[in-house]
Amino acid sequence: MIDMGDDERAVLERIGQGLLYTESEASFQAPLRRADLIFEYNRTRPGDAAGRRALLERILGSVGARTVLNSPFHAGFGSNVHIGDDFFGNVNLTFVDDVEIRIGNGVMIAPSVTLTTTGHPIHPDLREDFRRFSEPIVIEDKVWIGSNVVVLPGVRIGYGAVIGAGSVVSRDIPPMTVAVGVPCRVVRPISADDLKNRLAPS
């Protein structure tokens, strides 16, 4: 836990409202960063399952059972990431977790995906001292995110949704839909017909 005064609490309240804050104002959160542990995790042997699991439990805010997170992965903090059971994250997964990223059960994420809770103002005069805003990301159960997807601040991806490769997700995606594109848009619902997809002939 961080020992906070009134000024720090005021900054956290502003962050929680999605308002702008600066790097200097947020510097009191530095002890929550897990950069050294992430560095260590990314250099563990793939076969050292117990060692990798122990490190993940120290890095992440919470982590479920049967989690696979391939190296390397990157995170601003690590401690603001919460992952459910039966998670698979492929290589080069990046969490920009200035605020919480919550990932449900049975989620699969392909290579080179970025989940970013943080953005910056459009006007350059507002970007002094790395001024930014942050909004949490929620990925519900059984979502599949394709390669090279970027999920932007404040987005919720609904249960069972599929996000096509290369998409930029800037708005919420409803459950049980396929969405793709820049910006990412729903192209169709997921239906019982998809149960037959790529099955061997009977």
Side-chain angles (χ1 to χ4, degrees):
M1 293 293 293
I2 299 174
D3 214 10
M4 287 190 297
D6 290 343
D7 289 345
E8 287 83 6
R9 288 190 190 90
V11 172
L12 283 182
E13 185 174 335
R14 212 156 75 241
I15 293 171
Q17 294 171 350
L19 301 176
L20 294 177
Y21 64 98
T22 68
E23 177 71 17
S24 297
E25 288 172 329
S27 62
F28 68 94
Q29 296 186 91
L32 298 175
R33 295 185 184 272
R34 304 290 183 254
D36 286 347
L37 292 173
I38 294 167
F39 182 91
E40 186 177 346
Y41 181 90
N42 286 334
R43 280 149 186 80
T44 57
R45 292 183 179 277
D48 183 9
R52 290 167 70 81
R53 174 70 193 192
L55 281 167
L56 267 192
E57 289 177 355
R58 295 172 63 196
I59 293 166
L60 302 181
S62 60
V63 55
R66 299 171 301 278
T67 293
V68 176
L69 181 54
N70 286 339
S71 302
F73 88 96
H74 313 279
F77 285 81
S79 57
N80 288 326
V81 177
H82 301 268
I83 293 175
D85 298 337
D86 300 307
F87 171 82
F88 181 85
N90 217 323
V91 296
N92 292 319
L93 175 53
T94 298
F95 302 106
V96 183
D97 60 322
D98 294 278
V99 296
E100 284 190 345
I101 296 173
R102 291 204 166 264
I103 298 173
N105 300 322
V107 171
M108 298 191 302
I109 299 182
S112 300
V113 168
T114 298
L115 309 177
T116 179
T117 65
T118 294
H120 300 277
I122 297 297
H123 199 290
D125 289 352
L126 291 177
R127 294 199 297 269
E128 293 176 0
D129 194 11
F130 307 109
R131 190 176 278 114
R132 56 193 181 265
F133 62 89
S134 299
E135 297 177 353
I137 289 171
V138 176
I139 298 172
E140 296 182 4
D141 295 350
K142 297 191 176 181
V143 167
W144 171 28
I145 298 177
S147 299
N148 296 297
V149 167
V150 178
V151 180
L152 296 178
V155 164
R156 175 182 286 266
I157 299 178
Y159 173 93
V162 174
I163 308 299
S167 298
V168 176
V169 189
S170 58
R171 64 186 71 183
D172 291 355
I173 302 298
M176 294 296 287
T177 57
V178 176
V180 64
V182 182
C184 190
R185 299 184 189 282
V186 173
V187 294
R188 67 175 180 87
I190 295 171
S191 71
D193 289 342
D194 292 301
L195 290 170
K196 306 169 189 172
N197 191 21
R198 294 184 185 264
L199 294 178
S202 54

